[in-house]
Amino acid sequence: MGSFLANYGDNLKIALILWPMASAFFTLPILAYLYHRDGRLRASSAAAVYLAVLYVLGIGCFTLWPLPEGDLGPGISYGVQPNFNPFAFVGDIAKDGLTAVLQLLFNVVFFVPLGFIAGRLLRIRMVPTVLLALCVSAFVELAQYTGLFGLYPFAYRCCDVDDLIANTLGAWLGWLAALLMNKALPQKLASQGVTRSPGLVRRCVALWIDLSIVAAGTLFATLALLLGSQLFVRAVHLQWGPESQDVVAAASLVVAVALFVAVEVLVPWLWKGKTPGGAFVRMTCETRDRTAGFRALFCLARTATLAAVVLLPWVAVPVLGVFYIVARKMPHDYIPQGRAGI
């Protein structure tokens, strides 16, 4: 048993090394998901999601690592033959004994966390969980069968249909374990309400979502402008030069500003203070009802604050961070309500 597990020591080390980088990359999406699902940030949920990130890395490292080197060895000179015969593990157990049994059990246990994560953390039903496990396992087996999708001329790991069966079985068992835990320790459902007193982290996550929308829209608009302008230049038999690039750059800047105003000014003005990102994380930027004049002043002050964050982040971000820690609100939140509510 010890020697069998020792074979996967390096795989675990690689997953642990990649974990901090992957977690940093997925931090904002994870926080956005938790705020959207739970309506708050719970330490237990955050820890569970970050462990799920480690598990996903483990799937890749344990099934595809180590990569072959040089031009000799299995997968390089002749390849590893696949097994497309279901239940061939019976013959393997008769031939190899305990080693084959441990390999089979490992393939079952390896996907138990996937089913548990789907059932407990993501709250996915049984059939979609089984289908998810089947697709993940099939993706891994296909990667092994194709030599990491053509990166190597031959398969360097064994594609085995029995692994597909064992993995799917393991995920189903994991989902059943999650079902039992959900009955023993039921989770509170997320509140559908929208908070008017968001914390700093939630505000930052909402802003990240909003700016991602602006960036994506600007990127698509820029590509469309580039393609359209080049087609126009060719149609009228002109030459594409620096002047054309400057025109496209200026137009892209106009698009970016327009999208920023639409997402951060127009949408919250019409949607009771909710930006697209704010709506996703269940918050409104308007911490109180204000009369029309004071609401317009609040909107102007908030827009100026966000513009400072975008244009001068190295100054605005630390200043606003310290300000929030001391005051527990943003400067524009001090705009008064007025004599009568909206």
Side-chain angles (χ1 to χ4, degrees), residues 219-232:
L219 176 61
F220 285 118
T222 301
L223 294 175
L225 287 170
L226 281 172
L227 179 60
S229 58
Q230 289 181 358
L231 292 176
F232 174 78

Side-chain angles (χ1 to χ4, degrees), residues 37 42 45 119-121 123 181-182 185-189:
R37 192 196 69 177
R42 297 189 299 183
S45 296
R120 178 69 176 179
L121 184 63
R123 301 168 188 167
M181 178 168 285
N182 289 339
L185 299 173
Q187 295 175 312
K188 294 182 179 180
L189 297 178

Side-chain angles (χ1 to χ4, degrees), residues 1-333:
M1 174 70 75
S3 60
F4 177 83
L5 295 177
N7 294 331
Y8 298 97
D10 291 338
N11 306 73
L12 179 59
K13 291 178 182 178
I14 294 297
L16 290 173
I17 291 173
L18 295 176
W19 188 25
M21 294 180 288
S23 297
F25 181 78
F26 288 111
T27 291
L28 288 173
I30 287 172
L31 294 178
Y33 165 75
L34 292 177
Y35 276 125
H36 177 73
R37 192 196 69 177
D38 297 332
R40 57 177 176 165
L41 182 61
R42 297 189 299 183
S44 59
S45 296
V49 173
Y50 282 110
L51 287 174
V53 172
L54 175 61
Y55 172 70
V56 172
L57 290 173
I59 290 179
C61 293
F62 277 78
T63 58
L64 302 176
W65 188 270
L67 301 177
E69 299 179 357
D71 56 0
L72 296 175
I76 297 299
S77 57
Y78 53 85
V80 178
Q81 295 301 316
N83 170 45
F84 295 130
N85 297 319
F87 306 109
F89 64 86
V90 176
D92 294 335
I93 293 175
K95 182 178 63 174
D96 299 327
L98 181 60
T99 300
V101 173
L102 292 176
Q103 183 66 46
L104 176 64
L105 291 177
F106 177 81
N107 283 317
V108 173
V109 173
F110 189 48
F111 267 57
V112 168
L114 178 62
F116 186 84
I117 291 169
R120 178 69 176 179
L121 184 63
L122 302 181
R123 301 168 188 167
I124 301 177
R125 295 182 180 274
M126 183 184 69
V127 173
T129 297
V130 172
L131 292 177
L132 173 64
L134 184 64
C135 291
V136 172
S137 181
F139 177 84
V140 170
E141 298 303 317
L142 183 62
Q144 294 175 340
Y145 180 67
T146 59
L148 203 55
F149 301 106
L151 182 62
Y152 296 97
F154 298 98
Y156 64 93
R157 300 288 292 266
C158 180
C159 170
D160 195 333
V161 69
D162 284 340
D163 292 349
L164 191 68
I165 297 172
N167 294 159
T168 306
L169 174 62
W172 178 66
L173 294 175
W175 186 89
L176 291 179
L179 178 64
L180 295 176
M181 178 168 285
N182 289 339
K183 291 182 177 181
L185 299 173
Q187 295 175 312
K188 294 182 179 180
L189 297 178
S191 171
Q192 298 300 317
V194 175
T195 180
R196 303 194 76 171
S197 55
L200 181 60
V201 175
R202 191 186 298 227
R203 291 174 188 254
C204 293
V205 173
L207 180 60
W208 169 76
I209 295 174
D210 293 334
L211 294 182
S212 297
I213 294 173
V214 173
T218 303
L219 176 61
F220 285 118
T222 301
L223 294 175
L225 287 170
L226 281 172
L227 179 60
S229 58
Q230 289 181 358
L231 292 176
F232 174 78
V233 166
R234 292 177 183 177
V236 298
H237 305 289
L238 296 176
Q239 185 176 3
W240 176 268
E243 296 82 3
S244 302
Q245 297 176 3
D246 293 339
V247 171
V248 172
S252 299
L253 179 60
V254 171
V255 170
V257 173
L259 287 174
F260 179 82
V261 172
V263 170
E264 296 295 348
V265 180
L266 182 60
V267 171
W269 181 268
L270 298 175
W271 202 9
K272 298 181 179 180
K274 291 181 289 186
T275 65
F280 187 81
V281 300
R282 305 177 186 271
M283 62 159 279
T284 173
C285 62
E286 296 186 16
T287 53
R288 64 177 77 176
D289 292 332
R290 295 178 173 86
T291 59
F294 283 101
R295 191 182 183 212
L297 182 60
F298 168 84
C299 183
L300 180 63
R302 177 177 176 274
T303 303
T305 301
L306 295 180
V309 170
V310 174
L311 299 177
L312 299 170
W314 54 89
V315 176
V317 170
V319 170
L320 290 173
V322 172
F323 185 93
Y324 185 88
I325 292 174
V326 175
R328 307 306 297 177
K329 60 177 63 177
M330 286 296 175
H332 47 266
D333 292 331

